[in-house]
Amino acid sequence: MSPRRNRPKGTDPSGPSAEDGRANRYGGWQSSTDWDGEEWSVRHVAGASSQGKSYRCPGCDQLIPDGVPHVVAWPQHAGVDDRRHWHKACWNARDRRTPGVRRSRNAPRF
């Protein structure tokens, strides 16, 4: 009798490469989409990777507490400072959803 095989067939015996984990590094997958005439990068973030942090959703102007899965989106031509954290439902409804409270230009963001 031969020993039981522990690995599924078809896997690379050398293991996963560093490039394979790049998309899952922050707990989610990344894609791009066209919105408002711009190309946007969208990353789905698992809640476990955002422990100790809370963000304000631009769609509903509510806090996204730490540990909650959400979406990070930014224009592809923009930098790190232009990333915005959205609830998944708010991102999916972004064309028909705007915050109920509008802040003035000089008002603090939080």
Side-chain angles (χ1 to χ4, degrees):
M1 178 181 265
S2 60
R4 187 175 80 169
R5 186 177 192 150
N6 288 332
R7 277 174 273 151
K9 292 180 182 180
T11 60
D12 186 15
S14 64
S17 68
E19 291 181 8
D20 293 342
R22 204 174 288 174
N24 293 328
R25 179 184 299 178
Y26 299 104
W29 52 274
Q30 185 170 334
S31 64
S32 63
T33 186
D34 187 44
W35 179 49
D36 274 351
E38 292 186 85
E39 193 70 23
W40 286 68
S41 295
V42 180
R43 180 178 292 154
H44 294 262
V45 180
S49 63
S50 64
Q51 291 293 330
K53 303 173 190 173
S54 62
Y55 304 100
R56 186 165 298 273
C57 175
C60 64
D61 202 36
Q62 300 294 314
L63 283 177
I64 302 172
D66 64 338
V68 173
H70 60 280
V71 174
V72 180
W74 65 96
Q76 284 189 347
H77 65 82
V80 175
D81 293 336
D82 292 326
R83 291 184 300 184
R84 296 294 172 254
H85 296 255
W86 295 69
H87 292 105
K88 287 183 181 183
C90 294
W91 175 253
N92 291 336
R94 64 192 172 272
D95 291 330
R96 61 183 185 274
R97 184 167 228 168
T98 59
V101 177
R102 297 285 183 173
R103 295 187 190 99
S104 68
R105 238 178 235 203
N106 298 329
R109 291 197 57 82
F110 295 94

